[in-house]
Amino acid sequence: MKKIILTVAAVFAFGFANAQSGAFKLGAHVGVVTGDYKDYSSANLGADVAYTWTVAEGFDAGITTGFTSFLGKDGLDAANFIPVAATAQFTLENNWFLGADLGYGIGVSDGNDGGFMYQPKIGYQMEKVGVYVGYKGFSNDGTTLSSVNLGVIFKL
């Protein structure tokens, strides 16, 4: 766990040192739970932090983290994750974009071992604010905790 935190801190430090071509982003999302746990979780809520660099015109890539919680239903505990992932965004015509996050979700609630995290998304990016619809999933040992999300991104 300490190695993961130190690695993420080092990558963020490198990103801030090369800030000329990058963008810091803050966001939030809310979603409807799907998949294997839809009967046990009522909603997905979370906050996102990302730093991206312009790789080519219309293509940004970087790192992302944050916190996401799948709220428990009927007295069950929430399943909470801290994602550590690579992120990419390809801008289409008229400010529309396709994006994806791939990485690992560190489980931070009792009985949550974490798992592979993925999130394809499509959205609309204005100068400083963007909105997107995405499918977020965490997979471990053949089961998937997933949701369809609506999110907002603020570019700083």
Side-chain angles (χ1 to χ4, degrees):
M1 178 74 158
K2 288 181 186 177
K3 289 181 183 180
I4 292 172
I5 292 171
L6 289 173
T7 301
V8 170
V11 171
F12 271 111
F14 175 76
F16 289 123
N18 292 302
Q20 310 87 299
S21 65
F24 187 65
K25 299 177 182 181
L26 295 176
H29 61 271
V30 60
V32 176
V33 179
T34 62
D36 299 330
Y37 289 93
K38 66 182 176 204
D39 294 331
Y40 308 107
S41 180
S42 58
N44 173 233
L45 302 172
D48 307 299
V49 177
Y51 193 85
T52 60
W53 295 270
T54 301
V55 177
E57 186 175 337
F59 181 69
D60 296 337
I63 55 173
T64 186
T65 188
F67 181 81
T68 191
S69 181
F70 288 84
L71 305 177
K73 200 186 261 189
D74 299 325
L76 296 173
D77 291 337
N80 302 315
F81 297 90
I82 296 175
V84 178
T87 186
Q89 181 174 309
F90 180 71
T91 302
L92 306 170
E93 291 184 29
N94 301 321
N95 297 336
W96 287 93
F97 70 85
L98 295 174
D101 301 340
L102 292 173
Y104 189 80
I106 301 167
V108 292
S109 49
D110 289 337
N112 180 354
D113 294 332
F116 174 70
M117 192 223 46
Y118 52 94
Q119 179 176 235
K121 50 191 166 184
I122 184 169
Y124 186 80
Q125 181 72 48
M126 294 162 273
E127 186 176 338
K128 295 290 184 182
V129 179
V131 293
Y132 70 88
V133 174
Y135 178 82
K136 181 177 284 202
F138 296 89
S139 294
N140 188 353
D141 292 331
T143 60
T144 300
L145 183 55
S146 59
S147 62
V148 175
N149 292 324
L150 177 62
V152 62
I153 305 163
F154 299 96
K155 190 186 271 189
L156 306 176

